[in-house]
């Protein structure tokens, strides 16, 4: 028992457990104050009165995650610049960015990271736009983030090493088939290959990336400060005004990078780690889905490869930073696989009822990632229902599809019901955007470009210099070859293959500027939904999924025939895909991949892209940290703001109702209650840039607490989701127990 | 020599491949601008060094795999690599080029020692080490680290104590000579700098299609035009495939000498880490005055790319040889195709880009009248 390789493995496990235990103990404990600087002292030590810059006394700090706490009392229009620098120490030890502190943000924290000991860490303070007297204190704290990061990596590496050890052992013992070995290794390789441009200390900070990083940071901030869950409006945005991004754009999957931020990772690292998980998950999900459909490991792998290596996907990931879209692409194969199985599996088999779960999980995940992709996938499913009407109208199939739809609707109630309610109840910038025409239709030739650009070089329409809007020329070429060969060899061509190929080509054509989107938009009822897509090129995500499914399906057929030329063709397809990918990734790596973002506070809080979820009619971005604004003679004091919660005491000595504007974006659902439990009315007419405004009655004096309570329908929707998930889980457990009991009885008989 | 063990047909094929690769590697030498003025001396030197590098690397690769085609692919991966191209035609670093030419001989000697071929390979190893120490201390250090690692790993793989001792003697002689030269040459600390900041990123190392640093005045530092310091994705893919297949039990070595390929692959994986920004070179360099000089002599961690590249080339050779033996399998043509792509994508591509860049510069110069020094 305690001999040979088992003993080695147990020693390994024991060592890992000990290391993890020690690191866990190190995580316990409080933050430690390293140094503190007072504004008064700094002002006294200034030699040149005309100076605008000051460096603090250097301190020696060990490796770890640090928090700088700055307290100021600046007046309007003032601001303060602070950066962390290292005078002496090892190269590239300090990971930090400069931060600008705005007036009104009286207590601010930002973090910096040391990967090794630094001997002379100091703060550079640019006070040209304020005075040193307005700085109250600056303190540096050592957090437990560094220990938590070490623990996280220890757990990750331990699990990784154990898995590799076990996998290698099982392979050498012949307990894992060769195709499975190839699949595991290839999926790992694909994940690493996709991540290539980000295997460095930089990132591309362009297009939508700042917005999504702010989404992550706002979630992390909400977790840290204990804002009400599920998050609808997070307070980090818009200089503390809060933004309803979580309400309209589901943040479910972004909780992962947000948690990494809470552990202590820099924002860039958290995002990259999340990205790697998504890349790996996309490969695994695509492979599992395709293998379930085509029942051939190599064909499924080929389909997976062309899917994850599609130029448009890399465009979404690295250039557009379309987090929602590339996340949704992770789950599209699940939905199509589910539909395929429902249409092709034997309806009388015991496993038939399980097929709907592919659709349930797939659609739920897509809905929680990206609404526009949900629309497109649902539309595709509807079209497929029409194409396969005979099969869909079979009683069992129809029931399963209806069940799947019902479960998806119930499970995701918590998100879409509040979203739809709020969308109908108020007006947002989003409605103005939806009304616009679809733009950015691509030249058809861009689908056939092998050597794709890293980023957009010129903004004019055309092929040269554009971002890579292509599903990959390898897929289109493969469809063409398959059709040509299929005319001669009928055994490789069938209806499913034709449908998939046609779906791929048609959705690809929808992306082109030849498709009359303008006319489609004029169709009553359809126009609104179509307009919400913004860009026709979003159809490429669907097209890639169809293309990959086709490649997997057709490859399985070709492999089945055993033709050497056919196999050689598949290898050529893979190589073409790989070469195109390596070129594109090289371009991405060498072009504009230079931002080093560690300190999240460096981003500010107002990267909204188009500000879709702002309640203001016009894009008024003049946000600032400010105190409540009141009409004379209303007065306020004892003002406290924590997240979206505000407490203040007001006095209205006048005989007329006075308006009190609070630094919160005035979404529906805020509630103002005083200490006696009386509701304070919220004005319909909002304040400057949509600020929440209270109407204070004549002669009123009291303490008011304002908080975001949402609408009762939100709670109802949340309960529906919880109960439906519990219900389906309970029903599943009950059924599996029943099946086990039946099997036992059969064995007994 | 192993080459003489080949049959006539294989020998002819080998010579043909060597000549083709030599011509490809030396292509930029034949451009009109290269040999202008006194450049013909450098052109001749580069032609000679290229010929020698192709020859020595073919010798070492053919020790790992008997098939001349597979050996030639290994040679092409090494000789036509972007990093070597950079050293050869952009930086024109003759010392490192000499190191690149000698390194395969060192590996060949290691193979022969492991095969028990008497004292000749020991002498070869010692002489080469001495030669390197005389040429450049930094290169000698890189070679020394590589050889020690490879020899120790090979010992763990084969358990051949005698081979380890022989290697140790040869390396010991080289080490003493190198250390003496180190002390003599590096008294002056002014020319020695910290190398940590010159480390590479994984993304950069794996870039396949490189751009070339611009020769246009004012654009040299543009990020878009960086010097190609990397090995490329496909070359590394071969190394990883080899290591994974070996780990899973799919790679078999014919004899102890061929296990050098395995040892070289592990060494390559390790030395690849030495090239990274994240490797704590600062820690090593700041230990004391001696380490400050020793590490500083390497000049840049990218110097370790040479053993990485040759380790990858040997891994590719071994991988191809193993795949070739599985005759029913179609994996061999796939591997060959990937290897050829690796060469075309990185080496040949960068050569073409360089030609375009040169042409563009010349055109620019003609139009504007700006000289090189401007």
């Amino acid at each position: 028992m305690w001999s040979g390789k088992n003993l080695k493995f147990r020693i390994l496990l024991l060592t890992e457990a000990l290391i993890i235990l020690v690191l866990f103990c190190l995580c316990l404990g409080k933050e430690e104050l390293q140094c503190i600087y007072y504004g008064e002292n700094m002002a006294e030590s200034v030699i040149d009165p005309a100076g605008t810059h000051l460096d603090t006394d250097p301190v020696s700090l060990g490796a770890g995650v640090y928090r700088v706490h700055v307290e100021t009392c600046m007046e309007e229009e003032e601001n303060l610049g602070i950066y962390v620098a290292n005078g002496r120490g090892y190269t590239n030890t300090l990971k930090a960015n400069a931060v600008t502190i705005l007036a009104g943000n009286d207590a601010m924290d930002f973090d910096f990271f040391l990967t090794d000991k630094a001997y002379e860490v100091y703060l550079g303070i640019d006070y040209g736009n304020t005075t040193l007297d307005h700085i109250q204190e600056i303190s540096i704290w050592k957090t437990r983030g560094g220990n938590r990061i070490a623990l996280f990596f220890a757990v990750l590496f331990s699990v990784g090493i154990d898995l590799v050890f076990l996998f290698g052992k099982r392979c050498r013992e012949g307990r894992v088939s060769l195709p499975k070995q190839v699949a595991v290794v290839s999926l790992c390789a694909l994940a690493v290959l996709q991540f290539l441009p980000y295997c460095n200390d930089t990132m591309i900070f362009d297009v939508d990336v700042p917005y999504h990083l702010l989404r992550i940071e706002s979630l992390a901030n909400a977790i840290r400060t204990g804002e009400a869950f599920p998050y609808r409006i997070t307070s980090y945005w818009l200089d503390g005004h809060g933004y309803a991004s979580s309400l309209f754009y589901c943040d479910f999957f972004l909780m992962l990078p947000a948690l990494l931020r809470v552990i202590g990772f820099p924002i860039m690292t958290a995002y990259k780690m999340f990205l790697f998980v998504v890349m790996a998950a996309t490969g695994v999900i695509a492979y599992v889905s395709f293998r379930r459909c085509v029942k051939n490991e190599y064909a499924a792998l080929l389909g997976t490869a062309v899917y994850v290596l599609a130029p448009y996907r890399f465009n979404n990931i690295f250039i557009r930073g379309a987090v929602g879209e590339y996340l949704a692409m992770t789950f599209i194969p699940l939905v199509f696989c589910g539909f395929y199985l429902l249409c092709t599996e034997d309806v009388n088999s015991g496993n038939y009822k399980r097929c709907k779960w592919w659709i349930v999980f797939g659609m739920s995940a897509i809905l929680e990632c990206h609404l526009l992709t949900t629309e497109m996938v649902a539309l595709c499913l509807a079209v497929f229902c029409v194409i396969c009407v005979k099969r869909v109208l079979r009683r069992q199939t129809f029931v399963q599809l209806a069940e799947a739809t019902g479960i998806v609707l119930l499970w995701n109630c918590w998100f879409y019901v509040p979203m739809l309610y709020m969308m109908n109840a108020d007006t947002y910038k989003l409605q103005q955007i939806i009304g616009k025409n679809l733009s950015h239709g691509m030249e058809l030739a861009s689908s056939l470009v092998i050597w794709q650009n890293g980023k957009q070089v010129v903004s004019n329409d055309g092929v040269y210099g554009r971002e890579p809007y292509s599903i990959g020329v390898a897929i289109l070429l493969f469809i063409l070859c398959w059709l040509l060969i299929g005319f001669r060899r009928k055994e490789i061509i069938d209806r499913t293959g034709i449908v998939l190929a046609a779906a791929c080509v048609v959705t690809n054509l929808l992306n082109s500027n030849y498709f009359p989107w303008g006319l489609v938009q004029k169709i009553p009822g359809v126009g609104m939904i179509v307009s919400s897509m913004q860009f026709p090129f979003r159809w490429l995500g669907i097209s890639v999924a169809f293309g990959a499914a086709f490649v997997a399906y057709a490859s399985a057929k070709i492999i089945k025939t055993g033709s050497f030329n056919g196999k050689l063709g598949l290898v050529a397809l893979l190589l073409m895909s790989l070469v195109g990918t390596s070129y594109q990734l090289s371009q991405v790596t060498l072009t504009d991949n230079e931002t080093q973002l560690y300190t999240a506070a460096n981003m500010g809080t107002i990267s909204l892209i188009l500000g879709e979820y702002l309640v203001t009619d016009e894009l008024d971005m003049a946000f600032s940290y400010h105190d409540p604004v009141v009409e004379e003679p209303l007065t306020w004091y004892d003002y406290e703001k924590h997240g979206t919660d505000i407490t203040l005491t007001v006095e209205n000595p006048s005989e007329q109702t006075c308006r009190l504007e609070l630094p919160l974006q005035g979404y529906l659902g805020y509630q103002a209650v005083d200490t006696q439990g009386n509701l304070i009315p919220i004005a319909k007419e909002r304040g400057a840039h949509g600020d929440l405004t209270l109407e204070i009655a004549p002669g009123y004096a009291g303490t008011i607490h304002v908080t975001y309570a949402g609408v009762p329908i939100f709670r109802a929707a949340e309960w529906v989701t919880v109960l439906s998930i519990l219900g389906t889980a309970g029903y599943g457990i009950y059924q599996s127990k029943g099946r086990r009991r039946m099997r036992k009885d059969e064995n007994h008989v | 020599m192993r080459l003489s063990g080949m049959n006539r047909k294989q020998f002819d094929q080998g010579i043909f491949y060597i000549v083709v690769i030599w011509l490809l590697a030396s292509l930029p030498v034949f451009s009109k601008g290269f040999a202008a003025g006194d450049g013909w001396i450098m052109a001749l030197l580069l032609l000679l060094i290229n010929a020698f590098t192709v020859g020595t690397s073919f010798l070492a690769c053919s020790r790992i795999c008997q098939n001349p085609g597979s050996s030639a692919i290994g040679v092409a991966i090494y000789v036509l690599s972007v990093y070597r191209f950079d050293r050869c035609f952009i930086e024109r670093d003759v010392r490192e080029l000499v190191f690149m030419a000698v390194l395969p001989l060192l590996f060949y000697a290691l193979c022969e020692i492991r095969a028990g071929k008497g004292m000749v390979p020991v002498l070869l190893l010692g002489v080469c080490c001495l030669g390197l120490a005389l040429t450049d201390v930094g290169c000698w250090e890189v070679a020394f680290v590589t050889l020690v690692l490879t020899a120790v790993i090979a010992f763990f793989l084969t358990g051949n104590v005698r081979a380890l001792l022989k290697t140790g003697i040869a390396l010991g002689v080289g080490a003493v000579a190198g250390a003496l030269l180190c002390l003599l040459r590096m008294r002056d600390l002014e020319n020695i700098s910290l190398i940590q900041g010159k480390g590479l990123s994984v993304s950069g190392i794996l870039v396949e299609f490189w751009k070339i640093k611009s020769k246009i005045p004012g654009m040299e530092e543009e990020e878009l035009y960086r010097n190609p310091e990397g090995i490329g994705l496909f070359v590394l893919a071969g190394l990883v495939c080899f290591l994974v297949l070996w780990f899973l039990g799919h790679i078999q070595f014919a004899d102890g000498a061929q296990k050098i390929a395995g040892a070289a692959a592990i060494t390559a994986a390790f030395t690849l880490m030495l090239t990274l920004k994240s490797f704590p070179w600062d820690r090593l360099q700041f230990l004391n005055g001696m380490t400050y000089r020793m590490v500083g002599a390497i000049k840049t961690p990218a110097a370790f790319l040479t053993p990485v590249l040759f380790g990858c080339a040997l891994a590719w050779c071994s991988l191809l040889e193993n795949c070739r033996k599985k005759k029913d399998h179609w994996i061999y043509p796939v591997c060959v195709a990937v290897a050829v792509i690796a060469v075309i994508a990185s080496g040949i591509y960068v050569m073409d880009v360089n030609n375009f860049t040169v042409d563009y510069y010349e055109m620019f110069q003609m139009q504007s009248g700006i000289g090189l020094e401007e």
Side-chain angles (χ1 to χ4, degrees):
Chain A
M1 187 186 169
W2 287 91
S3 63
K5 285 180 181 174
N6 260 348
L7 180 67
K8 277 183 193 169
F9 189 56
R10 281 167 200 212
I11 290 170
L12 177 70
L13 283 180
L14 195 68
T15 316
E16 287 169 356
L18 278 173
I19 292 170
I20 289 169
L21 193 69
V22 170
L23 289 172
F24 179 75
C25 293
L26 289 174
C27 288
L28 306 172
K30 290 182 178 175
E31 292 185 350
E32 295 159 15
L33 180 66
Q34 303 295 310
C35 56
I36 188 160
Y37 308 99
Y38 294 101
E40 287 173 6
N41 299 349
M42 284 192 275
E44 283 169 12
S45 67
V46 168
I47 300 161
D48 178 14
T52 58
H53 180 85
L54 177 88
D55 289 338
T56 60
D57 295 332
V59 284
S60 174
L61 298 173
V65 179
Y66 292 85
R67 180 171 66 85
V68 180
H69 179 72
V70 187
E71 283 186 22
T72 54
C73 53
M74 289 185 285
E75 288 160 10
E76 256 182 84
E77 306 293 322
E78 288 189 344
N79 63 59
L80 177 73
I82 297 188
Y83 63 85
V84 189
N86 182 18
R88 191 165 63 89
Y90 300 115
T91 316
N92 297 329
T93 301
L94 175 71
K95 311 283 180 192
N97 300 96
V99 171
T100 303
I101 300 171
L102 303 172
N105 193 10
D106 294 340
M108 190 199 179
D109 294 288
F110 65 91
D111 40 19
F112 69 90
F113 308 83
L114 289 172
T115 55
D116 209 331
K117 190 164 178 65
Y119 297 98
E120 285 178 8
V121 176
Y122 63 90
L123 298 173
I125 301 169
D126 290 316
Y127 57 93
N129 293 328
T130 181
T131 60
L132 284 171
D133 297 334
H134 287 170
I135 302 171
Q136 289 176 329
E137 64 170 54
I138 301 174
S139 51
I140 299 178
W141 297 75
K142 184 173 186 181
T143 70
R144 295 279 158 182
N147 303 92
R148 288 196 294 268
I149 290 173
L151 176 67
F152 180 85
F153 277 123
V155 172
L156 205 69
F157 281 126
S158 300
V159 172
I161 288 169
D162 295 345
L163 285 177
V164 169
F165 188 89
L166 287 175
F167 179 69
K169 190 168 171 262
R170 286 172 67 88
C171 288
R172 285 191 294 272
E173 287 170 2
R175 286 155 69 189
V176 182
S177 67
L178 186 65
K180 276 187 183 162
Q181 288 181 28
V182 173
V184 170
V185 174
S186 304
L187 289 175
C188 292
L190 278 176
V192 176
L193 171 63
Q194 294 171 69
F195 196 66
L196 195 139
Y198 275 176
C199 292
N200 54 13
D201 205 17
T202 59
M203 71 180 295
I204 298 170
F205 194 71
D206 209 353
V207 196
D208 290 0
V209 175
Y211 168 63
H212 294 294
L213 291 183
L214 268 183
R215 284 175 71 198
I216 294 168
E217 189 57 23
S218 71
L219 286 176
N221 185 62
I223 296 169
R224 282 193 216 108
T225 54
E227 291 180 20
F229 186 82
Y231 306 121
R232 305 286 181 192
I233 294 168
T234 40
S235 63
Y236 189 79
W237 299 87
L238 310 174
D239 293 343
H241 284 66
Y243 189 50
S245 179
S246 305
L247 210 156
F248 295 101
Y249 200 160
C250 190
D251 284 333
F252 182 78
F253 290 99
L254 289 189
M255 288 302 282
L256 173 65
L259 286 171
L260 292 172
R261 272 292 292 142
V262 174
I263 286 174
F265 287 100
I267 182 81
M268 182 173 72
T269 314
Y271 177 70
K272 282 187 176 186
M273 288 165 81
F274 165 70
L275 193 58
F276 185 78
V277 172
V278 172
M279 285 168 170
T282 308
V284 172
I285 288 173
Y287 171 75
V288 171
S289 307
F290 293 148
R291 195 192 56 180
R292 179 73 178 82
C293 293
V294 303
K295 296 177 179 70
N296 183 300
E297 279 87 355
Y298 294 121
L301 263 182
L302 202 61
T304 306
V306 294
Y307 187 59
V308 299
L309 303 180
Y312 177 65
R313 195 164 161 274
F314 287 130
N315 186 8
N316 279 341
I317 292 173
F318 295 113
I319 301 158
R320 292 180 60 222
V323 172
E325 217 169 324
Y326 71 66
L327 254 177
M329 281 182 79
T330 305
F331 303 103
I332 294 173
L334 281 178
V335 180
F336 292 151
C337 169
F339 187 82
Y340 174 83
L341 293 176
L342 281 177
C343 288
T344 54
E345 293 278 290
D346 178 13
V347 289
N348 297 317
S349 74
N351 289 334
Y352 188 70
K353 284 183 179 175
R354 289 185 191 174
C355 298
K356 67 168 175 285
W357 293 109
W358 294 84
I359 296 182
V360 170
F361 284 114
M363 274 314 269
S364 297
I366 294 171
L367 185 60
E368 310 241 331
C369 297
H370 198 232
L371 278 176
L372 305 182
T373 310
T374 313
E375 281 177 25
M376 289 187 286
V377 172
L379 186 66
C380 289
L381 281 183
V383 171
F384 276 122
C385 283
V386 173
I387 292 170
C388 310
V389 66
K390 271 188 186 172
R391 290 180 183 233
V392 168
L393 288 181
R394 291 179 301 185
R395 194 177 63 82
Q396 294 92 332
T397 311
F398 189 79
V399 168
Q400 290 305 310
L401 278 172
E403 275 184 19
T405 313
I407 296 170
V408 169
L409 290 176
L410 286 173
W411 277 13
N412 299 289
C413 241
W414 74 274
F415 166 63
Y416 71 83
V417 169
M419 183 204 65
L420 292 175
Y421 175 83
M422 291 289 277
M423 199 72 88
N424 286 314
D426 211 338
T427 51
Y428 304 93
K429 185 88 180 119
L430 178 71
Q431 278 107 332
Q432 294 172 13
I433 296 162
I434 283 180
K436 285 184 181 170
N437 289 333
L438 283 169
S439 57
H440 289 70
M442 292 297 115
E443 295 286 346
L444 261 184
S446 66
S447 301
L448 303 173
V449 175
I450 299 176
W451 314 114
Q452 296 283 359
N453 284 323
K455 65 173 280 191
Q456 183 168 294
V457 182
V458 289
S459 58
N460 300 332
D461 281 349
V463 179
Y464 173 75
R466 289 310 303 261
E467 293 162 0
Y469 292 107
S470 165
I471 61 168
V473 68
I475 297 177
L476 295 171
L477 207 62
F478 187 65
I479 291 174
L480 191 70
C481 294
W482 179 77
L483 282 172
L484 290 174
I485 297 165
F487 280 122
R488 283 186 295 148
R489 300 186 64 172
K490 300 289 180 196
E491 71 271 19
I492 62 162
I493 204 161
D494 66 0
R495 190 165 171 262
T496 310
I498 291 171
V499 168
L500 285 173
C504 173
V505 173
V506 169
T507 44
N508 195 31
L509 288 175
L510 291 180
N511 149 65
S512 77
N513 52 11
Y514 291 105
F515 192 82
W517 283 111
L519 290 176
V520 177
Q521 275 184 298
K522 286 174 187 164
I523 302 170
V526 180
M528 193 66 165
I529 299 168
V530 169
S531 303
S532 68
M533 273 191 337
Q534 286 180 294
F535 314 116
F537 61 67
R538 290 192 198 276
W539 278 101
L540 287 177
I542 308 290
S543 184
V544 174
F546 283 130
F550 167 78
V551 167
Y553 186 81
S555 308
K557 289 258 174 196
I558 290 168
I559 291 170
K560 216 173 177 181
T561 59
S563 146
F564 182 79
N565 287 341
K567 286 177 184 174
L568 216 58
L570 296 181
V571 170
L573 164 78
L574 180 66
L575 288 180
M576 197 167 177
S577 189
L578 279 174
V579 171
T581 300
S582 67
Y583 182 84
Q584 190 185 358
L585 293 182
S586 300
Q587 295 291 309
V588 173
T589 307
L590 295 175
T591 317
D592 203 33
N593 187 2
E594 288 160 2
T595 304
Q596 292 185 308
L597 183 69
Y598 308 104
T599 309
N602 174 267
M603 291 188 292
T605 58
I606 314 185
S607 294
L608 304 180
I609 313 174
L610 295 172
E612 286 94 334
Y613 314 126
L614 286 173
V615 287
T616 47
D617 289 338
E618 55 192 54
L619 192 57
D620 179 2
M621 303 293 258
F623 290 96
S624 63
Y625 292 96
H626 63 84
D627 290 332
V629 179
V630 291
E631 273 182 345
E632 294 287 342
L634 187 71
T635 53
W636 58 268
Y637 49 92
D638 289 346
Y639 168 75
E640 276 181 32
K641 184 174 185 295
H642 296 290
T644 51
D645 290 357
I646 287 179
T647 308
L648 82 170
T649 306
V650 295
E651 277 180 19
N652 184 4
S654 72
E655 290 177 354
Q656 59 183 16
T657 303
C658 289
R659 286 164 62 85
L660 168 69
E661 288 182 23
L662 297 171
L664 291 170
Q665 180 81 165
Y667 293 105
L668 284 181
Y670 273 104
Q671 204 174 47
V673 187
D674 67 7
T675 42
Q676 276 80 45
N678 300 318
L679 277 176
I680 307 296
I682 293 171
K684 281 188 180 172
E685 194 188 327
R686 299 181 178 99
H689 49 259
D691 274 4
L692 185 76
T693 306
L694 303 184
E695 288 175 340
I696 308 298
Y700 179 85
T703 302
I704 301 171
H705 180 67
V706 180
T707 185
Y708 188 78
V711 182
I713 200 170
F714 291 10
R715 298 285 98 74
E718 285 157 16
W719 275 109
V720 169
T721 299
V722 171
L723 292 176
S724 59
I725 289 173
L726 288 176
T728 41
Y731 184 68
I733 293 166
Y734 171 75
Q735 282 221 322
S736 70
K737 273 191 177 173
R739 272 197 297 272
R740 242 179 267 161
R741 210 176 302 131
M742 269 176 65
R743 244 177 268 148
K744 255 187 191 173
D745 291 345
E746 279 170 14
N747 291 341
H748 184 69
V749 169
Chain B
M1 280 206 321
R2 188 83 191 174
L3 270 178
S4 56
M6 288 179 174
N7 61 36
R8 182 72 200 170
K9 194 182 166 191
Q10 283 177 328
F11 186 78
D12 289 349
Q13 275 180 357
I15 295 294
F16 172 73
Y17 293 138
I18 285 174
V19 172
V20 169
I21 293 166
W22 173 68
L23 282 173
L24 275 174
S26 310
L27 216 55
V29 175
F30 300 113
S31 72
K32 197 174 73 179
F34 200 95
D38 292 337
W40 67 270
I41 300 169
M42 177 56 87
L44 207 63
L45 187 65
L46 290 179
L47 282 174
L48 276 172
I49 290 174
N50 280 350
F52 189 65
T53 313
V54 174
T56 54
S57 47
F58 191 83
L59 190 68
C61 288
S62 63
R63 187 67 189 80
I64 301 297
C65 60
Q66 292 152 346
N67 182 275
S70 305
S71 302
I73 285 173
V75 174
I77 284 171
Y78 181 58
V79 177
L80 295 172
S81 64
V82 282
Y83 179 65
R84 193 175 176 282
F85 173 83
D86 175 61
R87 298 289 104 182
C88 195
F89 296 111
I90 298 173
E91 297 297 322
R92 299 193 187 173
D93 186 343
V94 177
R95 288 177 181 186
E96 199 159 349
L97 286 174
V98 170
F99 169 51
M100 284 174 166
V102 173
L103 187 72
L105 269 185
L106 298 174
F107 275 91
Y108 176 75
L110 278 185
C111 287
E112 293 296 280
I113 291 171
R114 207 117 325 245
K117 292 282 172 71
M119 287 308 286
V120 177
V122 181
L123 278 173
L124 181 66
L125 196 61
V127 168
C128 286
C129 278
L130 279 172
L132 275 179
L134 285 167
T135 315
D136 185 73
V137 178
C139 291
W140 166 80
E141 282 176 27
V142 174
F144 188 75
V145 170
T146 310
L147 288 175
V148 169
L149 272 173
T150 313
V152 171
I153 295 165
F155 167 71
F156 281 115
L157 292 175
T158 57
N160 190 339
V161 183
R162 186 178 284 185
L164 185 70
L165 279 174
K166 282 182 180 175
T167 315
I169 292 165
L171 288 178
V173 173
V176 172
L180 282 173
L181 283 166
C182 253
L183 287 172
L184 289 171
R185 279 187 196 168
M186 295 191 297
R187 283 184 194 154
D188 186 13
L189 284 172
E190 278 178 12
N191 295 327
I192 299 169
S193 60
L194 293 174
I195 69 164
Q196 176 89 63
K198 296 169 193 165
L200 309 173
S201 68
V202 178
S203 302
I205 285 174
L206 297 184
V207 163
E208 192 66 38
F209 295 86
W210 269 98
K211 291 176 184 296
I212 294 286
K213 193 175 183 178
S214 175
K215 296 173 184 69
I216 299 168
M219 281 182 74
E220 299 92 337
E221 297 307 318
E222 288 262 325
E223 204 58 28
L224 194 66
Y225 303 97
R226 285 186 285 202
N227 262 10
E229 287 182 337
I231 58 169
L233 181 69
F234 290 104
V235 170
L236 188 81
L239 177 72
V240 174
C241 276
F242 172 78
L243 289 173
V244 169
L245 290 174
W246 189 20
F247 175 69
L248 297 178
H250 297 292
I251 296 267
Q252 277 88 37
F253 299 108
D255 56 31
Q258 288 196 9
K259 283 192 177 171
I260 288 292
I266 296 172
T267 309
F270 181 74
T271 43
L272 188 63
M273 286 178 212
L274 301 185
T275 64
L276 298 179
K277 265 182 194 166
S278 47
F279 190 82
W281 280 113
D282 273 4
R283 284 261 177 199
L284 281 173
Q285 201 162 0
F286 282 130
L287 278 177
N288 54 47
M290 189 62 187
T291 55
Y292 188 81
R293 288 182 177 87
M294 295 283 278
V295 174
I298 296 171
K299 293 185 195 89
T300 161
F304 280 95
L305 282 179
T306 303
V308 171
L309 276 165
F310 195 69
C312 289
L314 289 183
W316 263 105
C317 286
S318 191
L319 185 69
L320 288 169
E321 188 69 357
N322 269 275
C323 293
R324 195 176 60 87
K325 282 173 186 166
K326 293 173 183 166
K327 284 183 180 171
D328 295 337
H329 221 270
W330 45 287
I331 200 82
Y332 182 65
V334 176
C335 282
V336 171
V338 172
V340 170
I341 285 171
V343 173
I344 292 172
S346 52
I348 309 276
Y349 177 83
V350 92
M351 218 179 275
D352 290 350
V353 171
N354 183 56
N355 285 337
F356 286 131
T357 315
V358 171
D359 288 351
Y360 177 57
Y361 173 66
E362 284 172 354
M363 192 172 72
F364 179 80
Q365 202 175 1
M366 278 189 288
Q367 285 171 355
S368 64
I370 294 173
L372 257 176
E373 56 280 358
E374 286 172 294

